[in-house]
Every structure is written in structure tokens, then in C-alpha cells.
Amino acid sequence: MSEEVDGNLILAEALKDQGVEYVFGIVGIPVIELSVAIQQVGIKYIGMRNEQAACYAAQAIGYLTRRPGVCLVVSGPGLLHVIGGMANAQVNCWPLLVIGGSCPQDHEAIGGFQEYPQVEACRLYCKYTARPPSPKLIPLHVEKAIRLATYGRPGACYLDFPGNILTQNVNRGDVFKYSFVASPPICHPNPDDILRVAALIMKAERPLVIVGKGAAYAGAENEIRKLIEFTNLPFLPTPMGKGVVSDLDKTCVASARTTALLDADVIVLFGARLNWILHFGQPPRFSPDVKFIQVDICPEEFHNSTSAEVSLLGDVGLVARELTTKFVQKNWCFPAYSPWWTTLLEKCKKNRMVVQDSINNESTPLNYYTVLHNIHRSIPEDSVIVSEGANTMDIGRTMLLNTLPRHRLDAGTFGTMGVGLGFAVAASMWCRQNAPDKRVICVEGDSAFGFSGMEIETMFRYKLPIIIIIVNNNGIYGGFTKEDWPSIQESQDELALANPPTALSVNTHYEAMMGLFGKKGHFCETIPELKEAIRASLSVQDHPSIINVMINPSADRKQQSFSWLTGSKL
């Protein structure tokens, strides 16, 4: 106990004691020695190429494991680069701990290297920010940051470490010790509220269940599947609620989403929020008379945007289990031949027929639907699907189906682009330890890929067999064909005036990046080429693959009844 230890080792051991398994980051002054100490205590350190990507990876690990991943960054610009990632974790409600090095305290206020008010800068984006005043107190703040990141509504926390604190030596016996942060306490629903909810559902003529990302994070898939199976209630998943109940289940009415939302008279929200993704629960996307039943662990979410008929504070899995018990006691299920089911099934069939021609149309240049359909048919059913982009992600939600929970990661509640490759790195690291035969398929728009494309080097360095499929339409939303592009480029006008803001370079060979590592990528313009590229990539086990598939720059999604984002009428 008389051994002297420095702040670097104290911090690394405190993280280890709290069950941290992964740290993602980029090192430099003053955290190089800290990264070495992190590895020495047995925590996996993954060096990334961009701080934002590192922050996205750390929060994805938090979502997959329910224990915060850690993002380690340098002072000043390094910390500022992760603020977008911290905000994404906070809005997405994913546990994250960011650790930032900072200017030595004796250099503050006199122009120290990369000096910046980091604790204050992070406060808007976190649940908890702090700078331990002494190495002896580091474990106290680590414990609190882990606890606040996971308890209640999960989110981001930030701890700041001046260089002099990290290098300061103290007696090991003087270091405060704090116990391991256990899993968050489970909140049990009010029995009277369970009875009210069961009665409302049984009286409903057009009930609907919406399964949100909160249900996936809670690990409530078994309870919700039993509820849906017994009651025969139609359900819709939110984007990252996909797979809690299989997209292939007969009760999934995702193909009739607009009709289901508009005409339902009672809607149960399992860990889903009435934000922009669900059009705020308001007309014209919902009936003015619809009754909402909210199930959430955060009471502040109740009555947001729209008043709920019943607000159930409790663990999603426990609520689903209690409701199932009530329905079993009543021997109640929703009739399969009800007018509501007839309407939903007819709409599902009609909408599938609308896109079937696009699915069947393999003429070049290709369209979104046939590309995404054939990706779905070519990859293993249990793949973890990471997706981002505009139409690539939105159409992909309907075409790339999930049968397992927490197997879809995308731009999420904050609509953040650039998350894809960081999420894919995290998912692949998780698979390596927990499901080594599972594949991570990262489906990117060409614009989205550009945010963090150099993370391909990270994937090679750590031998991650991620398959990156770039759906390339030469632009943001859309670009030019190779026939039309020369007239723009050869224009006598200033290119910064002539090039449309949404246009990117035509037929860029992103797959050629594989050549940087002595490998070959795949450039595809036809469906047979795409299928063969996926087949070949699935055989690779020790490095990533890039498949660059060209589609029509003017390809679009099917006609929508409403704008995808319901605009303000003010």
C-alpha cells in the first residue's frame, strides 16, 4: 500500500474496475501514457483515424452492451471534435464516457498548449462533466460518470484530466476506492395502470403497438415477442426497434406504416418517443382522437408533443410481461379477421406490389429497390446491418430486414451522418468477442461514406471483416450521370458557381481504396456483379471489403402519402 502510482494508472485501473472493456480514441499529448496504461490493465484499445468516428464507436458499444464504451481524446481540438458524437449519444440515449486530456493546470490562463474550457464546453452535451481535483479522487468520478451514463435515461458523461494530474504520483493507499456500478435498478409499473392499459387495448377497434429503440436497449425482446404472439396485435418498429420482433413476423405491418399510424385508435409505445421520427404523434399523420399509451423509464418523456391517455413508468420488459399475463387471464387476443387486420393486410400487399416492379427491374443504371433487395437476399439473416445516407438508409429500412434485436445501427434520433464506419468498427469488435461467425454489413450512401472513409485503415489494422457496400448515386440525394457531368466540368463558369451543391464526382471508384492495402475492391453496375461481390466478400475473414455499386443518380423512393418530415404549419 506504500507503492506510488500516477494518475494514468489510477484512471486505467478505475475504468477496469468498472467493467470497461473497450476504449476508442486518438492519442497525443497528454494521453499517450494513459493509452498504454489502459492496455496494460487489460482493456482493449482501438486507435481510430478521426475523433468523431471514435466517439461513434464508443457509444455503439454502449448500446450493444449497456455498459459505456470510452472515447479517449487529446486536449483542445481533439475534445472539440467529439462534441458532435457526444450530442448524438445524448439524444440517442446511449451510454458513453468521454475522457479528454487537457492543458496542465499551471499553464492555464497564460496561453497553454491547446488550452480550452473543456468542462464548460461539454456541459451542454452531457449528463455529467467533471475534472477530478486530485489523482486520489479519480475513482470517485469514474464511478459517478459510469453510474450517470447508465442510470435513468442513458447518455454521455465527460471527465477532464489535465496533464499534471495524469503524471502526478500519490501513495496507492491514499487512493479512494469505489464499488462496481451494478446494472440500473428496474422500475416496476403501477398495477392499476396495467389494468387500465389492458382494458384500453381490449376495447380498441384499431390497436397498434410501436416498438422503439428503448425496447431494444432494454433487452425486452422475449417479453414483447410473447405479448405480440399471444395477442395478435399489429406492430410497427421504429428504425432501431427493428428486430425486437422479427420484421418477418406476420404481425409486422411496416409495409402499411402510413395507414397504421393514421387510422389506429389506440397506440402502445414501447420505448418509443413521439418525436420527429413518429411525427410528434400529431395530425395529419395521426388521428386527432388516437389514444396513446406511453411505456418509458423516463417520466420527463411523458406527454411530450401529445398528451398520453396512460403513461406507464416502468421497465419495458416488465410492462410487456404484466400485460401478457392480463391477456392470458382474460384469454383475449385481437381477432385475425377483424376489419382492422383486413385493412392493414390489404395495404401491405398493395404497397409491396408498388415497389415490386422496381425490385424486379435490374436494368442499368440500377435503382435503390433492386440493389437493396438483392443485398438483403445475399447476406446472412443474422447480420448486423449498419446504414446511413439519405435514400440509402430510408429505403434500406424497408428492404434490409432484421430478425434479431440490436442488429440495426443507423443515423438514429439525431439524424447524424458520418456514424456508419465508427458504428461498424464497434459492432465488429463486439461480434469478435461475442459472436465470431456473425457478419457486419455497412450499407452507405456515397456522401455518408465520405465522412469517415479513412476508418477503412482502422478496419485493416484490427483485421475486422466488415463488408462496406456503397450505394453510389454521385451525389447528396442525387447527382449527375457520366454523360451529363462533362458539360458541367468543362464549363467556362467558375466551378464553385457551376457545380450544384448536391453533386459529387461521377462514378468515383471508392473500391480502389482497397489498393492502399494490397487488396482489390468490387465495382458493380449490374445485379449479377453485386451478388458475386457479396459472395466473394463473405468468404473474407481477416480484412474489410468495399463494394461500390453504381445506381441511377435520379433514382428515388416510391411516392409517399406525406412528406417524410411533417413540416411546421406556423
Side-chain angles (χ1 to χ4, degrees):
M1 297 301 290
S2 61
E3 173 193 7
E4 290 221 326
V5 290
D6 67 5
N8 288 306
L9 184 57
I10 295 169
L11 177 51
E13 289 179 345
L15 295 173
K16 181 71 173 179
D17 290 344
Q18 291 300 336
V20 170
E21 296 184 80
Y22 300 93
V23 173
F24 302 83
I26 298 178
V27 298
I29 297 171
V31 296
I32 296 175
E33 292 80 5
L34 175 58
S35 65
V36 174
I38 283 168
Q39 288 184 317
Q40 287 176 340
V41 301
I43 298 174
K44 299 177 181 69
Y45 176 82
I46 300 93
M48 306 286 285
R49 299 303 302 265
N50 177 282
E51 287 96 349
Q52 276 197 6
C55 196
Y56 297 141
Q59 64 195 258
I61 281 290
Y63 174 64
L64 293 170
T65 66
R66 301 185 70 185
R67 299 292 294 186
V70 172
C71 179
L72 176 65
V73 295
V74 301
S75 51
L79 183 277
L80 291 174
H81 288 169
V82 305
I83 281 182
M86 293 165 70
N88 189 70
Q90 188 75 351
V91 174
N92 245 7
C93 303
W94 287 0
L96 167 72
L97 173 57
V98 174
I99 291 175
S102 60
C103 170
Q105 289 166 304
D106 57 333
H107 292 179
E108 290 180 343
I110 57 173
F113 176 66
Q114 294 184 335
E115 179 186 357
Y116 200 77
Q118 297 179 187
V119 174
E120 294 81 359
C122 292
R123 192 158 283 134
L124 282 175
Y125 312 98
C126 292
K127 295 181 70 177
Y128 175 66
T129 62
R131 170 189 283 184
S134 161
K136 295 185 292 185
L137 295 175
I138 287 175
L140 179 153
H141 290 278
V142 169
E143 186 274 344
K144 185 170 183 178
I146 297 290
R147 176 161 40 85
L148 294 187
T150 52
Y151 279 35
R153 174 177 279 178
C157 291
Y158 173 68
L159 293 179
D160 191 74
F161 291 94
N164 60 296
I165 294 292
L166 292 174
T167 58
Q168 182 179 341
N169 288 302
V170 297
N171 190 293
R172 182 178 285 279
D174 293 334
V175 177
F176 285 70
K177 284 290 185 182
Y178 282 82
S179 59
F180 178 78
V181 175
S183 297
I186 294 177
C187 182
H188 288 255
N190 185 320
D192 292 337
D193 288 338
I194 291 289
L195 291 173
R196 289 179 63 200
V197 168
L200 274 171
I201 294 172
M202 288 188 288
K203 291 178 183 177
E205 295 181 0
R206 299 179 302 280
L208 178 68
V209 171
I210 297 180
V211 181
K213 179 177 63 207
Y217 180 81
E221 54 269 16
N222 291 335
E223 292 83 358
I224 292 181
R225 289 184 179 200
K226 289 176 182 176
L227 173 66
I228 296 295
E229 181 181 4
F230 186 83
T231 61
N232 192 46
L233 288 167
F235 84 93
L236 283 174
T238 64
M240 276 189 276
K242 285 162 60 68
V244 172
V245 183
S246 172
D247 287 342
L248 300 175
D249 194 273
K250 63 182 177 65
T251 55
C252 180
V253 293
S255 296
R257 183 179 189 272
T258 297
T259 297
L261 296 180
L262 180 59
D263 293 339
D265 59 357
V266 172
I267 297 178
V268 186
L269 300 163
F270 280 116
R273 293 179 275 178
L274 290 175
N275 53 22
W276 68 272
I277 291 177
L278 288 176
H279 318 290
F280 314 108
Q282 298 175 359
R285 304 301 295 265
F286 292 82
S287 165
D289 301 321
V290 64
K291 294 180 173 64
F292 286 106
I293 299 166
Q294 288 182 286
V295 182
D296 209 292
I297 60 170
C298 179
E300 288 85 352
E301 189 59 40
F302 296 151
H303 313 295
N304 183 51
S305 302
T306 302
S307 294
E309 188 74 14
V310 183
S311 297
L312 261 171
L313 181 65
D315 176 78
V316 168
L318 277 179
V319 171
R321 186 188 307 166
E322 292 293 324
L323 284 173
T324 302
T325 299
K326 299 303 177 189
F327 294 134
V328 169
Q329 291 171 352
K330 297 286 186 179
N331 195 28
W332 179 89
C333 71
F334 191 65
Y337 299 102
S338 66
W340 182 226
W341 261 122
T342 300
T343 298
L344 291 173
L345 293 176
E346 287 178 352
K347 192 64 176 179
C348 283
K349 182 179 179 180
K350 180 179 178 181
N351 284 343
R352 290 188 188 113
M353 290 176 64
V354 168
V355 301
Q356 194 60 49
D357 286 344
S358 295
I359 291 172
N360 294 338
N361 181 8
E362 297 185 4
S363 62
T364 58
L366 298 169
N367 67 79
Y368 282 107
Y369 291 93
T370 191
V371 166
L372 293 167
H373 170 75
N374 281 281
I375 290 172
H376 169 67
R377 293 189 62 185
S378 301
I379 62 176
E381 187 178 280
D382 68 343
S383 298
V384 178
I385 298 172
V386 179
S387 185
E388 62 174 332
N391 285 337
T392 297
M393 179 179 67
D394 290 339
I395 300 173
R397 287 168 174 165
T398 65
M399 304 302 296
L400 301 173
L401 305 183
N402 292 95
T403 59
L404 296 171
R406 298 171 296 281
H407 277 57
R408 180 180 176 90
L409 303 169
D410 68 20
T413 311
F414 210 29
T416 307
M417 293 298 147
V419 297
L421 272 65
F423 282 0
V425 167
S428 192
M429 294 298 297
W430 180 88
C431 288
R432 173 175 289 175
Q433 182 168 331
N434 298 280
D437 294 330
K438 194 182 294 289
R439 299 306 295 264
V440 176
I441 314 295
C442 188
V443 183
E444 300 270 306
D446 49 331
S447 172
F449 175 76
F451 279 82
S452 52
M454 275 313 299
E455 295 304 335
I456 187 73
E457 188 275 329
T458 305
M459 298 174 187
F460 266 98
R461 193 167 5 114
Y462 292 98
K463 298 184 177 181
L464 301 175
I466 298 164
I467 299 175
I468 301 170
I469 303 176
I470 301 168
V471 182
N472 190 346
N473 69 348
N474 299 333
I476 304 169
Y477 300 107
F480 286 93
T481 65
K482 58 185 177 183
E483 289 77 23
D484 294 333
W485 185 241
S487 63
I488 297 291
Q489 290 291 288
E490 295 167 8
S491 167
Q492 298 302 309
D493 297 329
E494 164 60 50
L495 287 177
L497 298 175
N499 283 346
T502 58
L504 300 175
S505 297
V506 168
N507 289 27
T508 302
H509 283 266
Y510 297 107
E511 81 287 349
M513 293 177 69
M514 295 288 289
L516 298 172
F517 311 97
K519 306 293 182 181
K520 288 186 177 181
H522 305 271
F523 183 77
C524 306
E525 295 182 290
T526 68
I527 291 301
E529 289 172 345
L530 173 62
K531 289 179 178 178
E532 173 56 27
I534 295 174
R535 186 202 62 78
S537 298
L538 287 170
S539 69
V540 175
Q541 300 293 328
D542 62 349
H543 65 75
S545 304
I546 297 180
I547 301 171
N548 184 18
V549 54
M550 301 304 306
I551 68 167
N552 190 335
S554 60
D556 204 353
R557 63 191 303 168
K558 76 176 181 69
Q559 186 72 29
Q560 302 294 301
S561 301
F562 295 95
S563 169
W564 70 273
L565 183 61
T566 306
S568 172
K569 302 300 185 291
L570 298 178

